[in-house]
Amino acid sequence: MPAISLTAMHTLALYGPFAARVRMAWTYVARQVLDEAPSTPGNPLRVSLARSVLNPSDLTGATSAGLTPVIATCETVLTAAAGAPSSEPAELCDAVTDEQLITAVKDAWNITAGVTPDLLDPSAT
């Protein structure tokens, strides 16, 4: 069972200040991904996601919820949000640090990019 309700997750994902912070976390990590060595497992998929984050094809992508639901459902974020004094979106948002958001984006990057476990560890196949 998640640390907060699905309704609270949804409310958090739609909360403008949270979505803006998440968007900046995706942008921050995208810039790091573009500096990775080409030998990084899954690099072409990781770079493709980075480019789409930095240059959304939909002009509303920079201001819409975009990838925010991916992060609003991350265990790191859920655990932090569960410590909020109430389920009000501002309180949930304030309970999550920028560091936790960046960690959540890094943790979600490969899944979101489509990097499968066999690309991460070719010896596993």
Side-chain angles (χ1 to χ4, degrees):
M1 194 66 171
I4 62 174
S5 72
L6 295 175
T7 301
M9 280 184 237
H10 179 71
T11 301
L12 178 61
L14 294 179
Y15 182 60
F18 182 76
R21 290 176 62 213
V22 170
R23 174 74 184 145
M24 291 313 303
W26 279 102
T27 301
Y28 180 82
V29 175
R31 291 177 58 95
Q32 293 176 341
V33 168
L34 290 177
D35 287 335
E36 289 178 347
S39 59
T40 301
N43 182 261
L45 292 170
R46 292 173 56 77
V47 166
S48 178
L49 176 59
R51 287 188 178 131
S52 69
V53 165
L54 294 174
N55 300 299
S57 58
D58 178 359
L59 294 178
T60 63
T63 56
S64 69
L67 296 169
T68 303
V70 173
I71 302 308
T73 58
C74 174
E75 288 301 321
T76 300
V77 170
L78 293 175
T79 301
S86 79
S87 61
E88 292 299 316
E91 300 271 357
L92 296 171
C93 179
D94 289 347
V96 182
T97 67
D98 290 348
E99 183 178 319
Q100 289 166 323
L101 287 177
I102 290 169
T103 296
V105 169
K106 287 179 178 180
D107 290 348
W109 199 274
N110 283 337
I111 294 167
T112 307
V115 178
T116 57
D118 61 309
L119 288 174
L120 298 173
D121 184 8
S123 65
T125 56

